[in-house]
Amino acid sequence: MTEIVHNLENIRLKIARATAKARRKPEDVRLIAVSKTYPAEKVREVIEEGHILFGESRVQEAVVKIAQLPSNLQWHFIGHLQKNKVRKALPYFDLIHGVDNYEIAEDINRIAEELGRFPRVLLEVNVSGEGSKFGFKPDQLRERMEALLAFQRIEIHGLMTMAPLSDDAEKARPYFTQLRELRDQLQEEFRLPLPELSMGMSGDYEVAIEEGATLVRVGTAIFGAR
Ligand SMILES: *Cc1c(COP(=O)(O)O)cnc(C)c1O
């Protein structure tokens, strides 16, 4: 067994334990293998274990890699999407996690219309308030939600966040709780389903699952240090 396969099995086990602990159904949590920076050969090791869901954060890198791999895979865009990359990105990704400001949503909506697409997206929220992070501040998102929902071409499926980096996964918990509570409030206020919560990375995905994550984005814990 390769190191990567061993890591993947270990993570699958931990995800199963975390869902059981939280009394959630295992199928309600999906693992995104974050393959950014790793070459297609490494990704193949994971595909051979039956894994099909991958995350990339740079459009150009992803497009090259996707072309080298089987066509039955699912790719999520998890990074900060630049305005000038929207047109290139839309055909490749099943879900765009990082819609982090109103203007990019506007661009995605316009370009999706031109391309005849209905992209699925998550709205990125900066719950920690760290200046270095992308994303809507919670109050900003409440104010903008009506306008975001009015975009005809964008399907909003939920929220995404990144907790501040820390060696202690428990430190991330309050941010994950906040994202879930914000999601619950928005669902109620705007009377719509926002089923997806994308939160949790290599160091804190178990805590994220306990707090309601439906998508965990795990890179280094599978593929090794970048
Ligand atoms: C790189 C990245 C990840 C994965 O991080 P790891 O610490 O390697 O698990 C998750 N989410 C986003 C948005 C990323 O850019």
Side-chain angles (χ1 to χ4, degrees):
M1 195 191 288
T2 69
E3 184 83 29
I4 289 177
V5 171
H6 171 82
N7 291 343
L8 180 68
E9 291 196 351
N10 190 29
I11 289 165
R12 283 174 167 169
L13 203 69
K14 286 183 172 171
I15 290 175
R17 276 197 211 124
T19 48
K21 184 174 170 195
R23 299 180 185 280
R24 301 181 56 203
K25 289 185 261 170
E27 66 268 26
D28 290 349
V29 179
R30 284 185 293 162
L31 170 65
I32 301 170
V34 175
S35 50
K36 70 179 187 205
T37 76
Y38 305 102
E41 307 88 79
K42 300 277 182 196
V43 179
R44 275 199 200 92
E45 292 184 34
V46 176
I47 296 170
E48 278 167 25
E49 296 304 299
H51 193 83
I52 60 161
L53 177 55
F54 295 91
E56 287 282 334
S57 61
R58 284 174 193 275
V59 176
Q60 187 51 37
E61 180 191 343
V63 166
V64 172
K65 211 176 288 180
I66 291 169
Q68 295 173 289
L69 291 164
S71 59
N72 65 329
L73 306 176
Q74 287 180 26
W75 296 89
H76 286 188
F77 189 79
I78 62 167
H80 168 65
L81 186 57
Q82 289 170 314
K83 192 182 161 87
N84 62 356
K85 296 285 167 47
V86 172
R87 189 175 301 275
K88 183 151 201 186
L90 287 188
Y92 288 95
F93 296 99
D94 296 306
L95 186 65
I96 295 172
H97 290 230
V99 173
D100 51 21
N101 65 77
Y102 183 79
E103 288 70 30
I104 196 74
E106 211 166 23
D107 288 329
I108 294 172
N109 185 64
R110 177 174 45 80
I111 293 168
E113 174 135 39
E114 289 173 25
L115 299 179
R117 294 186 165 269
F118 291 90
R120 295 180 221 181
V121 308
L122 305 180
L123 302 171
E124 180 169 354
V125 186
N126 179 355
V127 278
S128 67
E130 280 185 311
S132 60
K133 288 223 172 358
F134 292 108
F136 293 90
K137 297 198 176 74
D139 284 342
Q140 219 177 24
L141 182 57
R142 285 191 193 91
E143 280 166 26
R144 286 294 204 171
M145 197 65 191
E146 198 80 58
L148 288 163
L149 290 168
F151 287 129
Q152 293 290 314
R153 286 279 165 171
I154 300 181
E155 289 183 14
I156 300 172
H157 284 248
L159 306 182
M160 179 268 209
T161 200
M162 288 175 81
L165 275 183
S166 163
D167 293 335
D168 178 4
E170 278 303 325
K171 291 220 168 80
R173 191 184 294 275
Y175 303 109
F176 298 150
T177 313
Q178 269 188 61
L179 192 73
R180 169 169 43 80
E181 290 175 352
L182 177 62
R183 186 276 305 272
D184 294 348
Q185 290 163 12
L186 293 172
Q187 284 193 143
E188 190 153 324
E189 187 173 342
F190 296 93
R191 303 186 174 278
L192 80 175
L194 294 168
E196 303 287 1
L197 284 179
S198 170
M199 54 192 199
M201 306 182 12
S202 287
D204 53 24
Y205 63 90
E206 291 164 282
V207 171
I209 290 168
E210 289 173 23
E211 296 303 324
T214 61
L215 291 161
V216 292
R217 311 177 308 263
V218 180
T220 50
I222 297 174
F223 293 105
R226 268 180 212 102

